[in-house]
Amino acid sequence: MTKVIYCLLVVSFFVTCRPESENPYQIRVHAKFTDLEGSPVSEAASGGPLLITSADFTNINPKGISPDIAKLYFNEMEVPFQQAGPNSIMTKVPIMLLTYYTRITVSIRYLRYAIIITEFIIYRPTVSADVLAGNDGTFQMPAEMTIDGSGNLYVIDQRTDHDVVIKVTPGGASLVFAGGKNEFGRLVGIGLDAATSKMYVSDATAQQVKWFNITTPSTVSILAGSGTAGNDDGTGTAASFRFGSEGVNNFSSNERGQGLTLDASGNIYVGEKYGTTDAYLSQIRKITPGGEVTTVPSSRISMPMDGDDVHPVSGLTILQPSNEVVYIGGSSSNYQGIARISTAGTMTRIAGQVSNENLVDGTGEAAEFAFPKAISYFNAYYHVADGSNGAYRRVTTTGEVITIAGVGHFDTPSFCFCGITGPSSASYLFPSIFDGDPNKFKLAARAIIMDQVGGIAVRSNRLVYLSDYGTNFKCIWRIRIE
């Protein structure tokens, strides 16, 4: 009899507290979020203790809410908790695997009912960085890189005699994967077709695009390129390329006419120099899987003396699903930033401006880069290796730039002369969403000190890798956002 009366009271509470139009098994209640000392909490990070108090908890169960009778959820993630009193429960904010500020709805599942707390908290992600591989003599000059579906990295290591591709497993094990028998000269671009397991590289010494299957990396073939510098369209060896041969550590003109990427159909895109009359002329070429080479319309880039035009290509990516080519480049006193070429052949700047060695967050032309080297698009974000700024920059498709890691050109170990002798792990909490300082991300990101970054590979928007060719670094960074 007691159980029947209690169940009727619970049902009566749910019916009384919900509008007629709502789901009969869903009820909204008010609650307070505080820390263990009772101070209000409006935003929280993983690991932070959280006390949730509501006078309605005893209406649900006179003895309060306990793990024995209910489950607690942050959005759709079940979270362990313990009862702290008749009207309160205590938990820790879980790792939510989110990459930006996110509103968290807290709910309790009890019997067949979903009890949703009207108030909410804002989740603040944590950024952490550590060295996955290197800083031990493995790399001489780590440059551009790519990633496969299992999370293995393939890194161009630019060496004095000939370049190689080094494979780095998700656990950090490294080995020379391709090029150990002098198959390559100066490599300036790399990309993987996951559907065919073919790895493509731009070889500036041979002026050819080469490929090998990642199951048989010792067998290297020529996809296109006559072996003589030129800009001729054609198929296979009837075509010619003029790849820039600057090393990733070039600090006068940056990499010019470099970079390689693939689209979803397996077409390869490469940056190259154009002609011989001006070292700053460049363009982008498209190569089909069969080796047919054409020039991407409106991709030809000139560099007038005022430096206001987009800089020659250093790195490339493809914006999906529109299949537009996006490239990055720049050097001091010239335009440094990102541009997009539409499928209709129109070039548009996304972010950046004519600048010197500056690191400035902002949207569009308000943002500044310093010798940006590489770019990769993944699920609504461009991820940028911002060269001499030693920084990882994240850019929305509308051009909003924030710094996720790095200190800026003049504070990098290569230029600050401040006694930093190598990499070290570090982490920080996203700045408060209520902080109105436009430099808040830039300031927070300084917790992670990288040196000179040359390549970037994206496993997901919360797991990104960068190569660092700084003198005492020469490593692969692993950046997590969660």
Side-chain angles (χ1 to χ4, degrees):
M1 182 68 177
T2 302
K3 184 175 180 180
V4 172
I5 294 173
Y6 166 62
C7 289
L8 288 173
L9 287 173
V10 171
V11 172
S12 175
F13 168 72
F14 286 146
V15 171
T16 302
C17 295
R18 66 169 180 83
E20 293 183 3
S21 59
E22 286 193 1
N23 185 329
Y25 298 110
Q26 186 179 96
I27 188 71
R28 295 182 180 275
V29 301
H30 292 285
K32 293 181 180 179
F33 299 107
T34 66
D35 61 21
L36 300 186
E37 284 70 45
S39 298
V41 172
S42 58
E43 52 183 6
S46 62
L50 190 67
L51 193 66
I52 306 172
T53 304
S54 174
D56 290 324
F57 286 170
T58 50
N59 291 327
I60 298 169
N61 185 337
K63 295 182 179 181
I65 302 296
S66 75
D68 297 330
I69 63 170
K71 293 181 178 181
L72 177 68
Y73 288 84
F74 281 33
N75 290 347
E76 296 302 315
M77 180 181 290
E78 185 177 350
V79 181
F81 75 97
Q82 64 187 63
Q83 189 173 0
N87 287 316
S88 61
I89 59 177
M90 184 171 61
T91 186
K92 283 188 177 181
V93 179
I95 297 175
M96 298 290 291
L97 305 179
L98 298 169
T99 61
Y100 201 64
Y101 304 112
T102 304
R103 173 175 169 160
I104 303 299
T105 298
V106 179
S107 62
I108 298 169
R109 311 289 169 86
Y110 172 64
L111 299 176
R112 71 181 69 181
Y113 298 99
I115 304 156
I116 300 172
I117 295 174
T118 302
E119 292 73 20
F120 61 88
I121 55 175
I122 300 296
Y123 184 79
R124 292 168 62 184
T126 299
V127 181
S128 63
D130 65 340
V131 171
L132 174 68
N135 192 233
D136 58 1
T138 297
F139 298 100
Q140 291 186 21
M141 197 66 67
E144 291 216 28
M145 58 184 179
T146 190
I147 191 168
D148 68 19
S150 298
N152 298 297
L153 300 171
Y154 301 86
V155 186
I156 292 174
D157 191 27
Q158 296 181 342
R159 299 187 169 184
T160 303
D161 47 358
H162 64 89
D163 295 352
V164 298
V165 175
I166 293 180
K167 179 180 178 178
V168 181
T169 69
S174 305
L175 76 157
V176 174
F177 185 70
K181 297 182 179 179
N182 202 22
E183 294 95 334
F184 307 129
R186 174 47 42 87
L187 297 182
V188 295
I190 187 169
L192 174 66
D193 184 345
T196 62
S197 297
K198 288 183 177 181
M199 184 79 69
Y200 297 94
V201 293
S202 303
D203 190 328
T205 302
Q207 294 298 345
Q208 293 172 324
V209 174
K210 299 177 178 180
W211 71 273
F212 57 88
N213 195 296
I214 59 174
T215 61
T216 54
S218 61
T219 303
V220 179
S221 303
I222 297 169
L223 176 66
S226 64
T228 301
N231 303 107
D232 297 323
D233 288 345
T235 301
T237 55
S240 60
F241 301 99
R242 195 180 299 274
F243 299 124
S245 60
E246 297 88 355
V248 68
N249 62 336
N250 185 290
F251 188 62
S252 58
S253 60
N254 203 358
E255 302 160 309
R256 294 175 297 182
Q258 299 188 12
L260 183 152
T261 194
L262 288 92
D263 66 19
S265 299
N267 297 301
I268 304 102
Y269 298 81
V270 294
E272 68 167 1
K273 293 182 177 180
Y274 175 75
T276 59
T277 59
D278 190 326
Y280 286 94
L281 297 176
S282 77
Q283 61 184 9
I284 298 169
R285 312 289 290 284
K286 176 183 177 180
I287 310 140
T288 68
E292 181 183 357
V293 181
T294 55
T295 302
V296 175
S298 297
S299 70
R300 190 165 297 171
I301 302 160
S302 62
M303 178 59 69
M305 292 304 293
D306 64 8
D308 196 40
D309 205 353
V310 177
H311 191 276
V313 181
S314 294
L316 292 160
T317 192
I318 300 294
L319 175 62
Q320 298 292 354
S322 65
N323 215 45
E324 295 173 306
V325 179
V326 178
Y327 63 91
I328 197 165
S331 60
S332 185
S333 300
N334 294 308
Y335 183 87
Q336 304 189 84
I338 308 168
R340 181 182 71 247
I341 301 174
S342 72
T343 52
T346 302
M347 183 187 297
T348 306
R349 293 177 179 177
I350 297 174
Q353 60 172 282
V354 176
S355 62
N356 295 314
E357 289 73 54
N358 298 321
L359 187 151
V360 179
D361 289 346
T363 300
E365 63 182 14
E368 297 186 39
F369 301 87
F371 293 83
K373 302 286 185 179
I375 186 169
S376 181
Y377 175 80
F378 188 93
N379 195 20
Y381 289 113
Y382 300 109
H383 302 266
V384 175
D386 192 8
S388 76
N389 270 330
Y392 161 33
R393 318 289 295 280
R394 194 173 74 182
V395 186
T396 67
T397 54
T398 56
E400 181 184 358
V401 182
I402 63 172
T403 303
I404 298 295
V407 296
H409 175 90
F410 293 104
D411 291 324
T412 60
S414 285
F415 295 98
C416 71
F417 306 105
C418 46
I420 299 172
T421 58
S424 59
S425 301
S427 65
Y428 71 90
L429 183 64
F430 255 41
S432 170
I433 193 173
F434 304 110
D435 184 347
D437 187 344
N439 295 313
K440 64 182 181 181
F441 282 103
K442 170 184 170 179
L443 295 173
R446 292 176 62 84
I448 299 171
I449 302 175
M450 300 188 291
D451 195 356
Q452 306 293 297
V453 293
I456 196 162
V458 181
R459 178 68 166 153
S460 70
N461 283 335
R462 58 185 179 85
L463 181 57
V464 177
Y465 301 92
L466 294 99
S467 62
D468 190 330
Y469 60 89
T471 302
N472 295 316
F473 285 62
K474 299 188 186 304
C475 65
I476 305 300
W477 287 96
R478 174 172 51 195
I479 309 290
R480 294 186 178 98
I481 308 173
E482 48 192 25

